[in-house]
Amino acid sequence: TSDARSRDENCYNANVNTPHVPFLQLSINAFDYNCHVDLIKLLQQEGKLHRLRKARQKMSELFPLTEEIWLDWLKDEIRLTEDESDREKVYELFERAVKDYVCPEIWLEYVQYSIGGMGAQGGIERVRSIFERALTAVGLHMTKGASIWEAYREFEIVILSTVQPPPGSIPSQEQQELLNAQLERIHTLFRRQLAVPLMDMEGTYAEYADWADDGVPETVTHQYRRALQQLEKCKPVEEALLVSEPPKLAEYQAYIDFEMKEGDPARVQIIFERALAENCLVPDLWFKYTTYLDRQLKIKDLVLSAHERAVRNCPWTMGLWKSYLLALERHGADHQTVTDVFEKALNAGFIQATDYVEIWQSNLGYLRRRVDFSKEWSRELDELRAAFARSLDYLKQDVEERFSESGDLSCTIMQVWARIEALHCKNMQKARELWDSIMTKGNAKYANMWLEYYNLERSYGDAAHCRKALHRAVQCTSDYPEHVCDVLLNFERVEGSLEDWDAAVQKTETKLNRVNEQRARVAEKEALLTRQEEEKAEHRRKAKADKKAQKKSQKANRTGDKRKAEDEYEEEWGEDEELPSKRLRGEEGFGSTATEELMETESGLFGRRAPPPRKSEPPGFHKNQQGLSEAPRQPQDMSKEQRKDEDSVFVSNLAFNLEDPEGKLRTFFQGCGTVQQVRPVFTVKGAFRGYCYVQFEDRLAVAEALKLDRQEVDGRPIYVSPCVDKNKNPDFKVFKYKTAVEQHKIFISGLPYSCTKETLEDLCKQHGTVKAIRLITNRSGKPKGLAYVEYENEAQASQAVLKMDGTMLENFTLSVAISNPPSRKMEDKAAPSRILGAAMMRQPQGARGKGRTQISLLPRSLYRQSDPDAKAENGTISAPHATVTDGVHGGPGTASLDTQTKSLSNEDFARMLLKK
């Protein structure tokens, strides 16, 4: 056997298109669905029937098989059938196939195969039994159910021909009875089919009219008309389903709602089965189906079969396992069956730690309901206690090892165990031990935990232990100490002596004084930090105003000298020749403002007039231009009239190094509608600026595109916003968050960076209905550890603050408060500057901190250095950097052209400009 295995593996290694690779992958991960499918396809190509059978068998044990896989498997097995024992194996295989999904094609194959065995003893009755089961399963299928009815009818007509006497002979009484019975079967099939709304039922009615000697009975005609009316009502939803594209979830949901409104349970069941056959991996659809069966049909075999198929298709969904366990208990399944299903649920691989807590709670609830607490001892009670102990060990070891948390921060399982011991078993000692363990797990600082323990002692304990619990609560509570102090004082008012009252007053006063001192220190520290922030903000504001004033005076002083130098240079080259510095500025697009860079419409970016072509160039101009960057990439040709802002979206925050932005964004937005054009924006050097415009053919596609805001492209979230001309709509804002107090919303800080939206939702939904969650991230998509959570009302938000503030999540302490966003001060927009910036050593900064123009257009010898003692702000000189001199000596600390030499001519200026 080992030699044969080695020989086979060597053969597989010789060709990459062999089962060797899937075998290796499945040895690593047996639950890789695609690898199973690939292995089966490769074995089919090679014709290895024995190994193909084993591969299919293995896959069917782990997953439900699709209709195509089952049909291929069944046809292969049918070809290999040789004797009756082989036929029985094929029958067993068919029985497995019809349990995975409700598929008319599989049922049709099943009944046709069974007809081949009608010659065996009891064969005809077996065929009829399979036909009846097929009609029950798929006979109501509006588009494919008629094939089963017609096959059944043709089978009975063939049987009729075998019992009819030869022409001219007189049948015996027994033959006549068989003949009449067979005729009645065929009439019954016609009547049953005509009462069901199916496609092309008019043809069935005409066939029955031709077949029946006495015509169609009035009752059958009446049923046929009612079914025809039902068919007309169903046609709109059926046709919508036929023309839609997979997965058709919305269309199926509309069909399900329609059938549920009609109220026929059989038709509701068949449309659910049709939807699940095409959407078997949608947990919500399985949950709706099983819930409907649990509450409406309540048929044991049907309900349990649906639950079993649900967990096989979506084993990662804890809610389906929980419903399955309840259904087993509801229908009286034996204890071992329930236990086996629970063990399978533990091995299903849930995606979060809280799922394991819930499935354990479901199993513990089932075990608790089995216990007869009227008896002092029972085996079921010991089993319940052992299950509680095992659940705690499982959460501590298995779950914490996988998720780094037990999923049960408030120890709900231990609380339930303690209450069962106190209420049913009258064992307060065990309950107190459990609560001591709960408090040692980091819950002693929460007032609500102490009050839970106090209520337990109040209900089943004694006054001494109540007093002890409240004194410990006052000592340890850090979130709501005033509330705990009030409970202690009220308790002593009712049940305590004078000494007890005095001790309680002294303890509460000491605690509250200490708390007030701590709060005062915190408030003082916060006030100090606030003052420091205000001083820094004031300092930045003054520095910004000074810097702005200096820039204004600098530009005014430079304008005269600059114009004079340009006029002289133009005279040197002639009237018809364009100044090279001007031409370069026009090509680079210098002078666009930061506001335009953030969001420019077509008129603001692509609508700029291109520089006129120059007639001639100075000698050596091409040579000096070789060091410059290549010309910028131009947007796609599209006339200004064809560009429509209302049909476009503005996409920003793209990576600067994004390869083929046009192609990737076309692919990204193709699901929204037909993309007419993608216009990425590039710098003068041809570098991608990180934003672009996407124009669609249909305005409806814009709404779909806006839904993709914050989705990732190459691992980076992009911002998708409406394309709005800021010149026409200066006050337009894409993001409008409130700045006032929002009582129904909470603000959470201190979150771990690994916290996902789903984790936060599971944490917050324990305190109310969560309507929305917004995780705060930076521009690169990395989390900041902050979030806003919106609840249905103010009461739920307040409850969440009360319960969650100060709790731990992955060893991070959460800070929770009612949402009160800081007010946003609108900064003064910098006026666009059209003054030539070539005379500045430091280039104007764009929106990304990068100079608009990277080429200095003035020779260094024309710069006059500023005062070396001038102070810098953020590493940049705040005083003007250079001014153009006219040959006069500057003041101290300046450098000027040497006036002792001869005066410079226009030709000298040109030579200096064309240097380097």
Side-chain angles (χ1 to χ4, degrees), residues 790-801:
E790 182 179 354
Y791 281 95
E792 197 170 38
N793 52 52
E794 299 178 7
Q796 294 179 357
S798 301
Q799 180 72 7
V801 173

Side-chain angles (χ1 to χ4, degrees), residues 223 252 301 412-413 469 896:
Q223 291 178 347
Y252 272 121
D301 293 338
T412 54
I413 290 180
S896 66

Side-chain angles (χ1 to χ4, degrees), residues 263-445:
D264 187 345
R267 298 200 60 81
V268 174
Q269 180 191 356
I270 190 63
I271 191 58
F272 263 120
E273 292 287 357
R274 289 175 62 184
L276 289 168
E278 295 189 40
N279 301 276
C280 59
L281 300 181
V282 181
D284 288 344
L285 195 57
W286 282 108
F287 186 77
K288 290 178 181 178
Y289 183 37
T290 54
T291 302
Y292 175 79
L293 296 178
D294 286 334
R295 297 177 180 177
Q296 300 296 328
L297 296 186
K298 301 179 181 180
I299 301 173
K300 178 179 178 179
D301 293 338
L302 184 61
V303 169
L304 296 184
S305 173
H307 278 288
E308 182 183 7
R309 290 188 292 134
V311 297
R312 287 192 69 201
N313 281 276
C314 305
W316 63 87
T317 308
M318 183 277 305
L320 295 177
W321 287 100
K322 186 177 178 180
S323 299
Y324 190 12
L325 290 173
L326 290 173
L328 288 171
E329 182 182 3
R330 193 178 294 119
H331 291 281
D334 60 272
H335 176 58
Q336 188 58 46
T337 301
V338 178
T339 302
D340 293 342
V341 171
F342 171 69
E343 293 297 334
K344 289 181 181 178
L346 289 182
N347 297 321
F350 298 140
I351 59 177
Q352 54 190 5
T354 53
D355 288 344
Y356 288 96
V357 177
E358 288 196 46
I359 200 68
W360 267 110
Q361 286 179 327
S362 180
N363 184 58
L364 293 169
Y366 159 72
L367 294 176
R368 196 270 306 166
R369 290 187 286 271
R370 295 182 68 241
V371 179
D372 183 3
F373 290 103
S374 62
K375 299 178 181 179
E376 185 176 351
W377 175 88
S378 65
R379 183 171 58 84
E380 289 80 6
L381 179 58
D382 287 345
E383 186 177 357
L384 174 62
R385 285 172 171 159
F388 269 113
R390 183 192 168 200
S391 68
L392 299 179
D393 292 339
Y394 187 90
L395 295 178
K396 183 177 180 180
Q397 297 175 7
D398 297 60
V399 177
E400 281 192 9
E401 180 180 351
R402 179 180 174 189
F403 297 97
S404 301
E405 60 162 327
S406 67
D408 193 10
L409 297 177
S410 56
C411 302
T412 54
I413 290 180
M414 295 181 71
Q415 290 187 44
V416 171
W417 189 2
R419 187 162 290 275
I420 289 175
E421 292 288 353
L423 172 63
H424 297 294
C425 303
K426 314 302 180 189
N427 188 357
M428 279 302 299
Q429 182 61 32
K430 180 63 177 178
R432 292 179 184 123
E433 292 175 2
L434 291 169
W435 268 103
D436 285 340
S437 179
I438 292 172
M439 293 304 180
T440 58
K441 293 183 181 296
N443 294 302
K445 58 184 177 182

Side-chain angles (χ1 to χ4, degrees), residues 78-147:
I78 290 172
R79 285 199 301 268
L80 298 176
T81 303
E82 295 180 355
D83 51 28
E84 193 62 29
S85 61
D86 291 336
R87 291 189 64 85
E88 289 301 321
K89 292 180 181 179
V90 176
Y91 278 123
E92 293 175 2
L93 197 61
F94 268 115
E95 290 296 330
R96 289 172 55 190
V98 297
K99 289 180 180 178
D100 276 353
Y101 303 108
V102 174
C103 300
E105 287 81 2
I106 294 180
W107 275 108
L108 186 60
E109 190 73 24
Y110 191 9
V111 295
Q112 289 176 348
Y113 179 75
S114 66
I115 291 174
M118 61 182 293
Q121 185 176 2
I124 294 179
E125 294 303 320
R126 186 172 191 173
V127 173
R128 286 172 176 162
S129 173
I130 296 174
F131 265 118
E132 290 296 333
R133 290 174 56 201
L135 291 179
T136 302
V138 296
L140 298 180
H141 197 296
M142 187 167 291
T143 58
K144 299 180 180 180
S147 59

Side-chain angles (χ1 to χ4, degrees), residues 434-494:
L434 291 169
W435 268 103
D436 285 340
S437 179
I438 292 172
M439 293 304 180
T440 58
K441 293 183 181 296
N443 294 302
K445 58 184 177 182
Y446 302 123
N448 65 314
M449 300 297 289
W450 284 108
L451 295 180
E452 284 287 340
Y453 178 35
Y454 164 72
N455 290 331
L456 183 71
E457 288 285 1
R458 191 74 170 162
S459 300
Y460 310 110
D462 50 49
H465 283 90
C466 288
R467 182 176 291 108
K468 182 178 178 181
L470 289 175
H471 275 272
R472 291 175 62 192
V474 171
Q475 183 68 28
C476 301
T477 300
S478 60
D479 53 353
Y480 296 98
E482 294 89 350
H483 186 44
V484 176
C485 291
D486 289 341
V487 174
L488 175 59
L489 294 176
N490 288 331
F491 173 77
E492 296 299 357
R493 283 192 184 98
V494 176

Side-chain angles (χ1 to χ4, degrees), residues 530-585:
T530 302
R531 286 196 301 272
Q532 292 175 351
E533 290 296 329
E534 290 176 353
E535 291 174 359
K536 290 180 181 179
E538 181 66 20
H539 176 72
R540 287 193 297 268
R541 188 188 65 78
K542 289 182 179 180
K544 186 176 180 180
D546 294 343
K547 189 175 180 181
K548 187 176 181 181
Q550 289 175 354
K551 284 185 177 180
K552 195 170 183 180
S553 62
Q554 170 194 355
K555 292 174 183 177
N557 293 336
R558 270 203 332 266
T559 304
D561 294 337
K562 178 191 68 174
R563 289 179 178 174
K564 182 178 179 181
E566 289 184 358
D567 292 343
E568 292 177 353
Y569 191 49
E570 286 179 358
E571 291 175 3
E572 178 70 20
W573 290 102
E575 293 181 359
D576 295 334
E577 294 184 351
E578 188 182 359
L579 189 67
S581 61
K582 289 184 180 180
R583 179 163 56 251
L584 288 176
R585 288 198 306 275

